[in-house]
């Protein structure tokens, strides 16, 4: 759920517009085809290596252009989409007149109730082609999350919606972003995570203990509901950000992308992008500002936790799936001793 408008679209995504048979719909542009083919190539090559079971999740993408929307990878497209006799990487491409905003970047049940990545072009979403591809893998991981057994029931059990049935509570929850105590405790946690990620192997246990202590200190400044909301964001968005980092690193070892993708004006090599992303994460942690960045502050915190778990807690991904929205507990010594 990367786009700040996506939660309010959960209901809109269930609405099906009438097809406009008389409208001429343009073919998929060559640059868009190159980008989408690269998303499929990376997904096929890295999903099983990044996260067990992710490779079984449908990669359903709805590309939103100025006048038309292109659907691919969807196992049960709705009747308002028409096949145009074109395929990409073995997947049928279907079209309909535009419904969604072409600047959108979100994952929600946009087509026939299935979690679908709804995304504008790289230019419309203000990303380079390589960044766009990695962001779609972030969104593809959301598809995996949303299809976990009882995901929506478990979200409901968090009791955070306040009666809001649109999903906007995920963005607008009254977290105490401006509390000085919460800001200071959050900053302390961010710095502890940065230190732990840079620690030598023998120093990691002590650094991990400092992270656990900092997280407990933050809990002390939050209500139970506020703490559940934080854990929800760390688990959902933070781990999806972690997926971006892992995807960039693995993509660098997969061989060169297609000539069509490399020829794009804004192409960037995955290795260089992975290095910049790692540096950016450390900078986000060291310059952490909850008051300014609000909800998006949780992304680097959760991503750093996932990276630290990868270093210290083999098998954490199984527990992540079994106990959603409890990201911080995976760092605990009790979990480590129970393996």
């Amino acid at each position: 759920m990367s786009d700040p408008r996506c939660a309010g679209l959960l209901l809109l995504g269930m609405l099906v517009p009438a097809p406009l048979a008389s409208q001429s719909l343009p073919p998929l542009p060559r640059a868009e085809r190159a980008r989408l083919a690269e998303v499929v190539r990376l997904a096929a090559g890295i999903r099983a290596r990044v996260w067990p079971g992710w490779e079984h999740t449908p990669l359903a993408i709805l590309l939103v252009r100025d006048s038309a929307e292109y659907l691919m990878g969807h196992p049960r497209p709705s009747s308002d989409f028409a096949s145009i006799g074109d395929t990409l990487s073995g997947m049928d491409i279907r079209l309909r007149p535009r419904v969604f905003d072409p600047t959108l970047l979100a994952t929600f049940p946009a087509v026939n109730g299935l979690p679908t990545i709804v995304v504008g072009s790289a230019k419309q979403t203000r990303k380079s082609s390589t960044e766009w591809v990695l962001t779609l893998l972030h969104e593809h991981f959301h598809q995996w999350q949303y299809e976990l057994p009882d995901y929506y029931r478990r979200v409901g059990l968090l009791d955070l919606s306040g009666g809001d049935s649109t999903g906007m509570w995920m963005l607008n929850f009254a977290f105490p972003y401006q509390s000085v105590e919460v800001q200071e405790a959050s900053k302390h946690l961010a710095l502890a995570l940065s230190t732990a990620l840079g620690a030598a192997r023998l120093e990691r246990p002590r650094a991990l203990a400092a992270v656990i202590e900092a997280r407990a200190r933050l809990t002390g400044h939050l209500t139970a509901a506020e703490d559940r909301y934080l854990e929800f964001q760390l688990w959902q968005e933070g781990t999806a950000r972690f997926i971006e980092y892992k995807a960039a690193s693995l993509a660098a070892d997969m061989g060169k992308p297609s000539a069509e993708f490399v020829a794009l004006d804004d192409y960037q090599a995955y290795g260089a992008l992975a290095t910049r992303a790692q540096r950016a994460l450390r900078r986000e942690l060291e310059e952490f500002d909850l008051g300014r960045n609000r909800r998006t502050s949780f992304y680097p915190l959760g991503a750093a936790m996932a990276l630290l778990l990868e270093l210290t807690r083999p098998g954490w991904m199984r527990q992540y799936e079994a106990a959603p929205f409890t990201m911080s507990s995976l760092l605990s010594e009790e979990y480590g001793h129970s393996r």
Side-chain angles (χ1 to χ4, degrees):
M1 192 170 287
S2 298
D3 193 285
R5 297 159 293 176
C6 60
L9 293 169
L10 290 175
L11 294 181
L12 178 59
M14 305 297 182
L15 303 177
V16 178
L20 300 179
S22 61
Q23 180 172 336
S24 176
L25 299 178
L28 183 65
R30 183 175 299 178
E32 304 291 15
R33 180 180 290 275
R35 295 185 189 101
L36 288 168
E38 180 63 6
V39 172
V40 175
R41 183 185 80 94
L42 283 194
I46 70 172
R47 286 181 299 183
R49 298 168 61 191
V50 172
W51 202 281
W54 185 23
E55 69 273 19
H56 304 303
T57 302
L59 178 58
I61 302 173
L62 182 64
L63 176 67
V64 184
R65 296 280 295 174
D66 290 339
S67 61
E69 295 177 352
Y70 303 80
L71 182 67
M72 58 176 283
H74 199 295
R76 50 179 191 274
S78 52
S79 60
D80 53 319
F81 286 93
S83 177
I84 57 171
D86 191 10
T87 62
L88 188 148
S89 301
M91 292 182 283
D92 187 38
I93 300 174
R94 293 176 174 267
L95 273 74
R96 76 177 179 190
R98 184 172 70 81
V99 173
F100 294 111
D101 190 320
T103 65
L104 193 59
L105 175 51
T107 299
F108 58 99
V111 179
N112 230 0
L114 184 82
T116 304
I117 301 169
V118 183
V119 60
S121 66
K123 181 179 180 181
Q124 289 278 31
T125 55
R126 298 183 179 182
K127 296 182 181 295
S128 73
S129 291
T130 312
E131 291 169 339
W132 189 87
V133 166
L134 294 173
T135 300
L136 261 67
L137 292 178
H138 169 128
E139 295 297 326
H140 183 35
F141 189 71
H142 284 325
Q143 292 176 310
W144 178 85
Q145 290 171 325
Y146 299 161
E147 295 211 318
L148 286 175
D150 287 341
Y151 169 85
Y152 293 103
R153 184 184 68 84
R154 287 174 181 266
V155 169
L157 291 175
L158 293 174
D159 192 24
L160 297 173
S161 69
D164 169 31
S165 61
T166 69
M168 286 300 291
W169 66 266
M170 297 182 188
L171 312 179
N172 299 332
F173 182 84
F175 193 83
Y177 298 109
Q178 300 307 319
S179 164
V180 174
E181 292 82 4
V182 174
Q183 288 180 1
E184 290 177 350
S186 300
K187 175 77 170 179
H188 186 66
L189 174 59
L191 293 176
L193 283 165
S194 180
T195 298
L197 289 177
R201 184 172 182 177
L202 293 178
E203 298 171 347
R204 281 180 194 156
R206 180 178 297 179
L208 178 58
V211 170
I212 295 169
E213 181 182 354
R215 178 65 183 90
R217 176 181 171 185
L218 176 55
T219 294
H221 295 289
L222 301 173
T223 67
E226 290 164 354
D227 204 56
R228 292 197 302 274
Y229 180 72
L230 172 59
E231 282 299 314
F232 170 76
Q233 294 290 350
L234 295 175
W235 183 93
Q236 184 152 297
E237 293 293 351
T239 310
R241 173 74 68 85
F242 158 80
I243 292 295
E244 287 187 56
Y245 301 147
K246 290 290 295 180
S249 298
L250 291 174
D253 299 326
M254 276 184 60
K256 201 169 183 179
S258 69
E260 293 79 8
F261 187 71
V262 173
L264 295 173
D265 292 341
D266 58 354
Y267 165 75
Q268 297 171 287
Y270 289 111
L273 199 60
T275 299
R276 287 199 297 274
Q278 293 167 6
R279 291 173 180 168
L281 174 62
R282 296 294 291 274
R283 185 169 60 251
E284 285 182 283
L285 295 173
E286 291 164 8
E287 299 175 2
F288 192 83
D289 191 334
L290 180 68
R292 181 183 64 194
N293 297 321
R294 297 174 65 84
R295 187 182 69 90
T296 58
S297 298
F298 303 141
Y299 290 39
L301 289 181
M305 285 183 176
L307 288 166
L308 187 57
L309 285 165
E310 188 176 45
L311 292 172
T312 61
R313 300 286 192 253
W316 71 275
M317 292 178 181
R318 293 191 298 272
Q319 186 69 11
Y320 173 98
E321 179 177 349
F325 321 130
T326 57
M327 189 73 175
S328 300
S329 69
L330 304 185
L331 293 166
S332 69
E333 292 185 34
E334 290 78 11
Y335 170 66
H337 291 160
S338 68
R339 289 187 290 110

